[in-house]
Amino acid sequence: MSEPNTLLERQQSSAHPTAETDSAALAALVRRRRRRRWLINALRLLLLVVLIGGWELGARLGLIDPFFWGRPSGIWQQLVTWVLHGTAQGPLWVQIAVTLEEALLGFLIGVVLGISFGVLLGRNAFLAELLGPYIKAANSIPRVTLAPLFAIGLGLGSQSKVALAVVLVFFIVFFNAFQGVREVDRNLLANARILGANRWQLFREVILPSALTWIIASLHTSFSFALVGAVVGEFVGSIEGIGLMIQNAGATFNANGVFAAMLILAAVALLSEIVITALERRLLRWRPSALSEVTL
Amino acid sequence: MQHSQNKVSSASPPMPRSPLQEASGDRRPTGSAPVIELRQVTKRFLTPRGQTYTALRDLSLSVAPGEFCALIGPTGCGKSTTLSLIAGLDSPSAGSVLVMGEEVHGNDPRIGYVFQTDAVFPWKNVLHNVAAGPLFRGVPRREALERARAWIARVGLAGFEDRYPHQLSGGMRKRVALAQTFINEPQILLMDEPFSALDVQTRTLMENELLQLWSALSASVVFVTHDLEEAIALADRVCVLTAGPATVKGIYTIDLPRPRNVAEIRFDPRFVQLYHDIWEDLRDEVMISYERAKHSS
Ligand SMILES: Nc1ncnc2c1ncn2[C@@H]1O[C@H](COP(=O)(O)OP(=O)(O)OP(=O)(O)O)[C@@H](O)[C@H]1O
Ligand SMILES: [Mg+2]
């Protein structure tokens, strides 16, 4: 059996990607791709300019009342003021840090709890059946309504915001992890067992990677929900944070302030999205690119 | 009944004869206990409608050490079910399944199983898929990867170590599955239609390769197939199962000389004779299965 199997080898070398691809055709393809990329970026910029320019113009011409709807230049000014002179509650970066910390903490706790319970119930049919109705009931409650309860119970500090973020994140991650674990290919489980995997290896090498597709998909939405949890918590009662800035701006009829704070939140969410996408790329390298590259 | 001289009762399996095995001498002492033994095994499933479906009924079969046994039968008769019972993935409703003289209880590290459907891990590249078994079993990482590289080369996939399964063809994935199983050097090898997804040329190559690997590993093989030619070309014994519920219809000793060349042996007059005999038996079962499928649809 150590004698070389020439036929197999020949077949294998012909299966290798051919190195001598037509370089001219390739270059043309790359050029066309690049041109398309450039066009799309230019059009995106144009769209943004038209939208913001239209808003500003509308406000200046009196078509849009800047008192209620703000205006881009006012929003910009508000941002500059915050950056240079700080907000009513203190420096801007402190507000961002406070909200981000609450959201991140809530996100992490929610994700860990969600994955743990999702995997536990996904692997344990008895528990799943026992707790199923209660979890569904809990999930159907609009959970932001818990905010006042947390404020009463946990006070005006960051704990009540973290708690709300945890609750919001937990259910999203939980259901995805649960489903992900349930969808694990039975064949793969059997194969791993035959190959010699023990329970822990089975979990780490088969169940988790398989469920990860689902779990990571849920992380995209759940970080936004963590932010919502933190901000809504701050609305209800707090002494600092972006939510309080929005609350204050609203109370003083400062539409530009509301928009400016919203912009900051959007930037934070976008940043987290980039981080999560990078994580996804790394963890789900094994997937066909057509699947993992469908990101908007 | 022209096939009487080959047909033997399933209760007393003949010692398979194979020049290759005899050459290696000591590993098949005459009269040794069977490696796999199914005694009056019955397996029932609960169907979604709440009825029971009997997949196997009173199936008795034994496989000797180092023997290559082919299981053949119409589709849906219970071949995969039989393998999963031997592998300990499922337990019989009645009767007993013994491996190396002991009742099957969970997984046995001495068993290797090549599944009917794709079972390579999509999130592992070829190298780590093949190394999975040794790594699970606690072989040091460096050694496991080294052995995996050797096996990858052996199944003709050198240069593809970094690819993920979705970047391979169906035939290549199958070869990964084979390497993944062989690397554990199982004493018992269960294979469920491992080559049915391959084109004829690759298939012949893989069949020859399998025979070589088998003779080197000195494993006992239970090889499930739809294809009678494949069964005769590879096996020491061919076991024909009835249309579900499966039970043994006939067992045929394949007395073709070894080492065999799968591509050429099909033209051997003895091969043709065996094919003719076994087909007589198999045809009835295939017809029953076909009629049933027609009526139920
Ligand atoms: N988990 C299950 N629940 C209910 N019925 C089952 C289950 N597994 C198998 N069966 C039934 O048992 C019978 C035998 O199945 P099995 O997979 O062993 O067939 P097979 O001989 O391997 O067929 P094929 O050659 O098509 O692979 C089939 O009729 C199938 O429907
Ligand atoms: Mg089958």
Side-chain angles (χ1 to χ4, degrees), chain A residues 1 12 187 191 195 205 286, chain B residues 117 119 123-124 137 154 158:
Chain A
M1 58 159 189
Q12 171 214 323
N187 246 315
N191 193 23
L195 290 175
E205 310 258 335
W286 53 271
Chain B
T117 46
W123 44 83
K124 288 179 187 285
R137 290 162 189 226
R154 213 135 147 199

Side-chain angles (χ1 to χ4, degrees), chain B residues 45-47 53 55 74-81 116 192-193 226:
Chain B
F45 288 111
L46 207 60
T47 62
Y53 176 85
T75 179
C77 75
K79 304 183 292 297
S80 301
T81 306
Q116 183 169 12
D192 199 345
E193 302 185 30
H226 275 131

Side-chain angles (χ1 to χ4, degrees), chain A residues 1-3 5 7-9 11-12 15-17 184-185 187-198 201-202 205-207 209-210 285-289, chain B residues 87 89 107 111-113 115 117 119-124 132-133 135-137 154-160 163-164 166 175 180 184 202 205 209 212-213 216:
Chain A
M1 58 159 189
S2 52
E3 65 192 38
N5 193 329
L7 257 168
L8 258 183
E9 269 161 21
Q11 192 205 24
Q12 171 214 323
H16 261 304
V184 176
D185 191 341
N187 246 315
L188 291 183
L189 284 175
N191 193 23
R193 234 179 270 136
I194 295 276
L195 290 175
N198 58 30
Q201 288 165 332
L202 213 59
E205 310 258 335
V206 184
I207 298 168
S210 174
R285 239 176 341 188
W286 53 271
R287 281 201 308 184
S289 52
Chain B
L89 294 172
N107 296 119
I111 293 181
Y113 192 161
F115 289 83
T117 46
V120 294
F121 306 111
W123 44 83
K124 288 179 187 285
L135 288 175
F136 285 152
R137 290 162 189 226
R154 213 135 147 199
V155 296
L157 286 176
F160 288 87
R163 298 262 197 120
Y164 286 97
H166 80 266
R175 281 188 258 162
Q180 194 178 51
N184 280 332
T202 315
L205 288 172
E209 189 80 355
Q212 288 179 5
L213 294 173

Side-chain angles (χ1 to χ4, degrees), chain B residues 107-263:
Chain B
N107 296 119
D108 189 323
R110 294 167 296 192
I111 293 181
Y113 192 161
V114 180
F115 289 83
Q116 183 169 12
T117 46
D118 244 353
V120 294
F121 306 111
W123 44 83
K124 288 179 187 285
N125 62 19
V126 171
L127 182 65
H128 284 95
N129 254 300
V130 176
L135 288 175
F136 285 152
R137 290 162 189 226
V139 173
R141 196 176 166 77
R142 181 188 293 259
E143 189 194 329
L145 293 183
E146 217 164 89
R147 270 167 60 190
R149 281 204 186 84
W151 273 102
I152 290 168
R154 213 135 147 199
V155 296
L157 286 176
F160 288 87
E161 285 88 349
D162 295 334
R163 298 262 197 120
Y164 286 97
H166 80 266
Q167 297 166 317
L168 301 175
S169 74
M172 289 158 98
R173 275 201 294 274
K174 206 79 228 189
R175 281 188 258 162
V176 174
L178 290 176
Q180 194 178 51
T181 297
F182 280 121
I183 196 173
N184 280 332
E185 299 183 350
Q187 282 166 268
I188 295 173
L189 193 51
L190 310 175
M191 306 183 85
D192 199 345
E193 302 185 30
F195 306 139
S196 57
L198 304 182
D199 63 283
V200 181
Q201 288 84 9
T202 315
R203 183 173 179 162
T204 311
L205 288 172
M206 296 295 294
E207 285 166 354
N208 278 326
E209 189 80 355
L210 170 66
L211 286 182
Q212 288 179 5
L213 294 173
W214 164 64
S215 60
L217 279 181
S218 69
S220 311
V221 179
V222 181
F223 187 98
V224 164
T225 177
H226 275 131
D227 181 349
L228 182 52
E229 278 198 30
E230 184 177 46
I232 300 173
L234 295 176
D236 294 321
R237 274 196 308 156
V238 172
C239 175
V240 178
L241 299 182
T242 57
T247 187
V248 176
K249 176 149 192 200
I251 293 185
Y252 297 83
T253 302
I254 308 301
D255 48 5
L256 295 166
R258 287 189 193 273
R260 297 178 191 164
N261 182 323
V262 177

